[in-house]
Amino acid sequence: MLWIKKIHKWLSVFIGIQFLLWLLSGVYFNLMDHTKASGHTYRSHEHAVVNFDLQKFVEPKSVLTQQNPSVVLSTIELLGKPYYLLTHKKGLYRNFINHYSLVNAYSGETTEIDSAMANALASQSYSGPGEIIATTLLTSKVADFPKQYNPTWQINFNDEVNTSVYIEAGSGRVVGHSDDDKRLADIAFMLHFMDYASEGSFNNIQIILFAFFTLWLSLTGLIWTVDLGFRGQYQIKLFAKQRKVRLFDKHQKSMGDITLSSHSNLLDGLIEHDIALPSTCGGGGTCGRCKVMINPVTNTTSADHQHFSDKELQQGYRLACQHFSNDVKQMTLIDVTEAKKHALLLTSSTFVSPYIKELRFKVKGGAALSYKAGAFMRFFIPASKGCSVPMQLPEELKPHWHHIEKLDYEHLACTRSYSIATSADTTDELVFTIKIQSAPHHKVLPGVGSSYLCNLAPGQSVDAIGPFEEFFASENSNKTMVLVGAGSGMAPLKSLIEEQTALASKNGNPERNIYFFYGARKESDLLYADEFYHLANHNDHFHYFPTLSRADENWLGSTGYVQQMLELNLDSIDNLENIEFYLCGPSLLMTETIAMLTAKGVADSAITFDDFN
Ligand code: FES
């Protein structure tokens, strides 16, 4: 397949260049002055009428007997005199090779067209202001008239367009005029008809080769397209193939055979068999968690190179989300999660801030899921139509959405991951706080996953896989927890808070101190504020630090960015060695907080973060 792709790419470059030349020369043909382009700027169109005394003509028979054998004898006029033109060898066309003799019809003398006669003939055909500056007999190819194969006089005039008049040396025929305008047009013709060898014809080898190359371009493109189809690139059912793949666990113990569709990448294909590899990016190739080992000769992708060393690539390590079953006969699973695919039924959908909704789901069939706080689910968003503004917008929130242009759009199927905002100990519902991502400008789609889920109506269901436990509180630890988040980064942090408080009351354990720094723009963006104020007022171990970056004058609490608020209070919380930090929020919040903590000497192992970007 590699050479098919290479041929296709280089042919497309070559053919693309020729298409460009066609376009440019075609535009030139439309704009050019056709009279000038013919080279006839100074062509004389006067033809003197000459009457000859036929009685004085030498008998043609005697001329024929004195000359070499002829196939044609004709009478012509040159410079006002009659001549017999004898054709000894006749080409198909007069520009093809012809052998002539010229005989004065009055005297019977053979006449050669010398430079003087050629000049006179050229001057008769020329109507411009120029003088003759050069006369040359061309016995090989005539550049201005590439189809002229007979010896030809070239007579150059010194006018402003550099006219050349061509006189055929054997017959005295005016082959044609050429000048700078015609030469430019000839270049355009050469490019347009691919007459790069100046044969003066479009029926040339280059055109024939070009047609052959174009056929190859089409065939290689077709082969490539079909190959991509079989690899699942277009998700056309017709192209789907089922391939048997033998699975091994990381100890090389056989797990049996499964069949995978060539449509799906290995990550998604395994899910169909209830095998969920770790993944936080949902198959985007960025998290590097979906490691498998397959045949080492399998092509590598740039994402593979980002996550594996050369040695690992040689051993066959690849990202499952980047490869299809076409590449695979057997596969070793490095890590497998307990996550399973579930159908989730939406039980309620409520705005908890102008741009964030709380969605509550129950697992269809009723079985509550067990998971560590901080876990997330990956939703399968089907191909659908969407709108940049939520369909059911409460009246009081409409002013917040006025600046968002209402755009309808369609999107393909995709997956999106969202953290669970509750603890399994407190409810059998799966609760998510999802920010409806608006588009930064009309050329990109809004968040298709958030829009789709937030526009679901209670009673509708959606498939999701999980829970994935990547972000969780360290077990058997009594250290102080400092939670830092903003926006919809609330979800896993709220889940941790619920888990820790529930744990304490359930087991009678001493409660851990929890400091929760949460940032929002305005007071209306503070999620679950009443709940956290209440908890802070009734639980000495819980401390709540809401911080607004765009507070209005009525706000009496902290202002600025939440990472700044953390830095201000850090020394008063606890010894740094006795703190575990848990972060979830926008990337700027995360990077600045991590940088600040690291600068203060906090060990990496004490910082856990949920990078949901
Ligand atoms: S799922 Fe994240 S890299 Fe494959």
Side-chain angles (χ1 to χ4, degrees):
M1 202 58 213
L2 193 62
W3 65 272
I4 290 273
K5 290 181 185 173
K6 277 192 177 163
I7 290 175
H8 189 80
K9 281 178 185 168
W10 284 110
L11 284 179
S12 58
V13 170
F14 168 65
I15 289 170
I17 291 171
Q18 184 56 46
F19 267 102
L20 190 64
L21 293 175
W22 276 337
L23 180 71
L24 294 174
S25 52
V27 169
Y28 168 77
F29 291 144
N30 276 285
L31 299 177
M32 71 181 185
D33 180 332
H34 288 260
T35 309
K36 285 185 174 178
S38 65
H40 289 171
T41 304
Y42 292 128
R43 177 105 191 217
S44 171
H45 295 288
E46 287 178 19
H47 297 286
V49 179
V50 184
N51 293 316
F52 298 119
D53 184 354
L54 298 178
Q55 301 302 321
K56 289 185 182 173
F57 274 28
V58 176
E59 189 59 40
K61 202 171 177 183
S62 68
V63 173
L64 286 170
T65 53
Q66 286 169 21
Q67 299 290 337
N68 289 332
S70 305
V71 291
V72 179
L73 180 145
S74 54
T75 311
I76 62 169
E77 179 268 330
L78 293 175
L79 301 173
K81 292 181 183 169
Y83 289 91
Y84 287 124
L85 180 66
L86 286 81
T87 307
H88 306 298
K89 180 183 173 188
K90 186 169 167 47
L92 185 58
Y93 300 105
R94 58 187 184 168
N95 53 296
F96 282 21
I97 292 175
N98 289 280
H99 291 167
Y100 298 114
S101 290
L102 204 55
V103 176
N104 189 312
Y106 285 155
S107 66
E109 289 173 4
T110 302
T111 303
E112 295 287 335
I113 297 180
D114 58 11
S115 62
M117 187 171 174
N119 285 349
L121 287 167
S123 297
Q124 191 181 49
S125 174
Y126 178 75
S127 62
E131 301 283 333
I132 292 174
I133 52 169
T135 303
T136 313
L137 179 63
L138 306 175
T139 51
S140 57
K141 212 166 188 181
V142 180
D144 283 340
F145 292 94
K147 284 184 173 178
Q148 171 66 8
Y149 294 112
N150 295 307
T152 304
W153 286 99
Q154 180 191 45
I155 299 96
N156 294 338
F157 290 81
N158 62 348
D159 55 35
E160 78 285 2
V161 288
N162 296 312
T163 302
S164 295
V165 178
Y166 293 91
I167 304 293
E168 193 168 65
S171 66
R173 176 174 66 87
V174 178
V175 174
H177 285 216
S178 185
D179 56 27
D180 290 346
D181 293 320
K182 179 178 180 300
R183 289 177 193 116
L184 180 62
D186 285 345
I187 291 173
F189 273 106
M190 176 192 74
L191 297 175
H192 205 75
F193 295 114
M194 302 184 70
D195 185 20
Y196 300 121
S198 291
E199 295 171 45
S201 165
F202 64 82
N203 189 18
N204 54 53
I205 186 70
Q206 295 83 256
I207 288 250
I208 295 166
L209 283 175
F210 185 80
F212 178 73
F213 290 154
T214 307
L215 178 67
W216 260 98
L217 180 74
S218 311
L219 286 176
T220 50
L222 186 66
I223 294 168
W224 194 353
T225 303
V226 171
D227 181 69
L228 288 173
F230 280 125
R231 285 168 181 273
Q233 199 76 16
Y234 304 119
Q235 304 208 343
I236 302 169
K237 280 195 173 147
L238 181 68
F239 289 123
K241 274 188 179 175
Q242 296 294 321
R243 297 189 185 270
K244 195 194 264 188
V245 177
R246 177 151 297 174
L247 294 185
F248 295 88
D249 69 11
K250 63 181 171 189
H251 306 296
Q252 291 304 319
K253 194 171 153 209
S254 173
M255 297 167 67
D257 294 341
I258 58 169
T259 50
L260 296 178
S261 165
S262 58
H263 265 178
S264 312
N265 62 45
L266 300 176
L267 178 73
D268 292 340
L270 287 167
I271 288 170
E272 297 304 318
H273 296 272
D274 251 355
I275 300 172
L277 303 185
S279 157
T280 55
C281 70
T286 55
C287 72
R289 303 293 316 280
C290 59
K291 294 174 186 173
V292 290
M293 258 174 93
I294 53 179
N295 190 339
V297 300
T298 306
N299 285 345
T300 52
T301 66
S302 55
D304 290 323
H305 282 277
Q306 269 175 12
H307 295 287
F308 299 113
S309 65
D310 288 347
K311 191 175 167 200
E312 286 173 322
L313 292 173
Q314 280 165 15
Q315 288 171 343
Y317 280 94
R318 300 288 187 274
L319 294 174
C321 65
Q322 301 294 303
H323 296 274
F324 293 79
S325 60
N326 304 51
D327 300 334
V328 179
K329 284 202 172 66
Q330 58 184 51
M331 170 164 52
T332 301
L333 308 178
I334 307 300
D335 200 2
V336 179
T337 71
E338 296 292 318
K340 296 278 180 278
K341 196 171 180 181
H342 305 280
L344 302 183
L345 182 73
L346 184 68
T347 57
S348 81
S349 174
T350 323
F351 276 94
V352 288
S353 85
Y355 306 107
I356 297 178
K357 270 190 135 180
E358 180 192 87
L359 305 183
R360 291 180 168 263
F361 291 92
K362 280 201 164 181
V363 178
K364 262 189 170 175
L369 301 184
S370 140
Y371 54 91
K372 289 180 187 168
F376 69 90
M377 301 286 290
R378 184 142 57 92
F379 286 83
F380 295 91
I381 309 295
S384 177
K385 291 180 179 172
C387 179
S388 55
V389 175
M391 287 192 280
Q392 304 290 336
L393 202 52
E395 207 54 43
E396 68 274 16
L397 295 184
K398 284 186 178 168
H400 294 276
W401 287 84
H402 272 163
H403 66 288
I404 309 273
E405 192 183 353
K406 193 169 182 182
L407 288 172
D408 295 322
Y409 60 87
E410 291 183 15
H411 62 83
L412 298 172
C414 60
T415 61
R416 291 289 185 272
S417 297
Y418 297 100
S419 295
I420 303 169
T422 44
S423 157
D425 297 322
T426 56
T427 175
D428 59 352
E429 284 185 318
L430 296 170
V431 181
F432 300 85
T433 51
I434 296 178
K435 181 175 184 194
I436 306 169
Q437 298 287 353
S438 53
H441 52 80
H442 70 277
K443 287 189 177 165
V444 296
L445 291 181
V448 293
S450 60
S451 293
Y452 178 83
L453 292 175
C454 291
N455 278 322
L456 286 177
Q460 288 186 285
S461 58
V462 62
D463 286 343
I465 185 170
F468 293 95
E469 295 168 336
E470 302 278 339
F471 176 81
F472 46 85
S474 54
E475 289 168 10
N476 305 321
S477 168
N478 246 339
K479 286 187 176 177
T480 296
M481 295 174 77
V482 170
L483 315 183
V484 187
S488 56
M490 160 69 75
L493 305 179
K494 179 170 177 285
S495 176
L496 288 181
I497 294 165
E498 284 188 11
E499 179 190 59
Q500 292 302 314
T501 47
L503 263 181
S505 54
K506 192 160 90 180
N507 303 338
N509 291 343
E511 273 195 51
R512 298 172 71 175
N513 283 322
I514 299 176
Y515 289 78
F516 182 29
F517 291 83
Y518 180 70
R521 288 185 181 192
K522 299 178 181 173
E523 196 171 357
S524 59
D525 298 325
L526 284 176
L527 305 185
Y528 306 111
D530 291 345
E531 217 173 287
F532 290 119
Y533 282 131
H534 180 83
L535 185 61
N537 286 335
H538 292 84
N539 187 330
D540 292 342
H541 298 280
F542 180 73
H543 309 273
Y544 180 42
F545 295 82
T547 306
L548 301 184
S549 59
R550 293 188 193 171
D552 62 24
E553 64 276 10
N554 299 321
W555 173 248
L556 300 174
S558 309
T559 55
Y561 289 105
V562 69
Q563 56 270 38
Q564 297 164 340
M565 185 51 47
L566 169 66
E567 189 170 13
L568 275 176
N569 289 278
L570 194 53
D571 293 340
S572 61
I573 292 175
D574 203 342
N575 291 328
L576 283 183
E577 305 81 50
N578 196 39
I579 302 177
E580 291 167 359
F581 294 89
Y582 296 87
L583 321 178
C584 184
S587 57
L588 186 66
L589 162 81
M590 308 273 266
T591 48
E592 288 192 2
T593 307
I594 292 169
M596 183 269 288
L597 294 176
T598 307
K600 287 189 177 290
V602 175
D604 288 352
S605 58
I607 305 171
T608 305
F609 57 88
D610 186 359
D611 186 1
F612 66 73
N613 294 284

